[in-house]
């Protein structure tokens, strides 16, 4: 399979490293800065170059702005896309345009579960009626560096667990775009961005990234809690985020007619 990547940061590199042998025969990677050559990887600087190489599948792992810039052209070219930066879909118009582009061009938009689990149950319950979701995200202070959390607490000297944000999923994703893709995954699977209640916490005792949420409806109530190890080189991202994308790529590669 020929796999395209948008971005080659910690997620993109880890994705290539973790991909089982024999699945991907060729990588085409869109990057915005010079990268040292790697065997089996073709680096390109423009989206048109990537699309002209006609990968079988593209994985976006470069952030919200990159997804906004690249998704519609890729779907318009008939190339399926796995989107890692789910928070960009807090823009309802962008989400609608993406689904429309996928349908109009016989393409596909694939939303990975990322660092969270239990989304299958949430989709089922949400499809049956009103559902309430409350989420709590706990990360070490270093994971919140470079975010608006720096204006709320002193992350360098923090000595106790501190809540620095409480609000809706839409507010969380828009204010903390590099840290709230789990919130977006819950919103997209369930009641929408405005109906997910979010609490974000910096904890100097945390050694990884902790995600917990509660789903309440007339038909089902459940609680999910996951403690994730951070990915190598990026404290904001959980290693399970990479693994979930690997599984989506494998599922795509195993579809009938792709052998």
């Amino acid at each position: 399979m020929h796999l395209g990547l948008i971005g080659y940061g910690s997620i993109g590199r880890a994705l290539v490293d973790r991909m089982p042998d024999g699945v991907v025969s060729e990588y085409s990677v869109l990057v915005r800065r010079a990268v040292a050559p790697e065997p089996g990887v073709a680096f390109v600087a423009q989206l048109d170059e990537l699309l002209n190489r006609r990968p079988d599948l593209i994985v976006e792992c470069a952030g919200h702005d990159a997804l906004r810039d690249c998704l519609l052209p890729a779907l318009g070219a008939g190339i399926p896309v796995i989107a890692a930066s789910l928070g960009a879909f807090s823009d309802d118009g962008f989400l609608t345009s993406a689904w429309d582009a996928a349908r109009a061009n016989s393409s596909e938009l694939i939303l990975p579960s990322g660092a969270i689990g239990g989304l299958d149950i949430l989709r089922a319950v949400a499809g049956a009626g009103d559902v309430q979701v409350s989420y709590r995200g706990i990360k070490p202070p270093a994971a919140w560096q470079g975010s608006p959390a720096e204006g709320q607490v002193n992350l360098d000297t923090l000595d106790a667990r501190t809540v620095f944000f409480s609000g809706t999923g839409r507010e969380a994703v828009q204010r903390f775009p590099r840290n709230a893709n789990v919130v977006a995954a819950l919103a997209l699977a369930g009641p929408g961005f405005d109906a997910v209640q979010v609490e974000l916490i910096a904890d100097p005792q945390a050694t990884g990234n902790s995600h917990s949420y509660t789903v309440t409806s007339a038909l089902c109530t459940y609680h999910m809690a996951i403690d994730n190890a951070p990915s190598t080189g990026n404290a904001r991202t959980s290693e399970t985020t990479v693994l979930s994308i690997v599984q989506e790529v494998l599922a795509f590669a195993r579809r009938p007619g792709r052998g």
Side-chain angles (χ1 to χ4, degrees):
M1 181 175 68
H2 179 185
L3 184 64
L5 297 180
I6 297 171
Y8 204 56
S10 59
I11 294 178
R13 293 176 184 276
L15 178 63
V16 172
D17 290 342
R18 286 190 171 275
M19 192 63 59
D21 292 342
V23 176
V24 177
S25 58
E26 180 182 6
Y27 290 94
S28 294
V29 182
L30 174 63
V31 291
R32 298 304 189 190
R33 63 182 184 277
V35 178
E38 294 187 22
V41 180
F43 293 104
V44 299
Q46 301 296 328
L47 178 60
D48 286 348
E49 295 180 78
L50 175 63
L51 300 182
N52 288 339
R53 292 180 64 83
R54 301 303 303 176
D56 299 300
L57 173 69
I58 289 176
V59 175
E60 172 281 317
C61 48
H64 294 187
D65 289 342
L67 184 62
R68 293 187 190 99
D69 290 341
C70 299
L71 179 60
L72 298 184
L75 295 174
I79 301 174
V81 177
I82 297 173
S85 303
L86 299 181
F89 296 124
S90 63
D91 180 337
D92 295 333
F94 178 56
L95 178 61
T96 298
S97 295
W99 289 128
D100 288 346
R103 285 190 292 267
N105 296 280
S106 300
S107 187
E108 186 176 2
L109 172 60
I110 301 169
L111 308 181
S113 58
I116 203 70
L119 299 184
D120 53 344
I121 307 175
L122 178 53
R123 291 188 192 97
V125 174
D130 291 340
V131 61
Q132 299 171 346
V133 180
S134 58
Y135 164 81
R136 171 180 287 184
I138 303 173
K139 297 182 181 182
W144 301 108
Q145 296 283 358
S147 80
E150 292 180 321
Q152 312 275 130
V153 295
N154 188 328
L155 297 172
D156 294 324
T157 61
L158 195 66
D159 59 4
R161 176 180 290 191
T162 302
V163 177
F164 59 84
F165 174 83
S166 181
T168 69
R170 193 178 305 277
E171 293 168 334
V173 167
Q174 292 177 349
R175 290 188 61 191
F176 301 90
R178 294 189 293 175
N179 286 279
N181 284 321
V182 165
V183 174
L186 291 170
L188 292 167
F193 286 90
D194 295 317
V196 177
Q197 295 301 307
V198 176
E199 194 174 70
L200 300 179
I201 298 169
D203 185 354
Q205 303 303 314
T207 57
N209 301 326
S210 174
H211 307 284
S212 62
Y213 68 97
T214 299
V215 173
T216 305
S217 79
L219 302 178
C220 174
T221 298
Y222 73 93
H223 180 75
M224 177 74 70
I226 302 175
D227 292 322
N228 289 319
S231 66
T232 303
N234 186 352
R236 292 185 296 270
T237 301
S238 299
E239 194 67 22
T240 49
T241 297
V242 178
L243 296 176
S244 75
I245 298 172
V246 170
Q247 289 304 308
E248 293 291 357
V249 173
L250 293 178
F252 183 87
R254 292 168 181 157
R255 292 181 181 179
R258 299 210 55 84

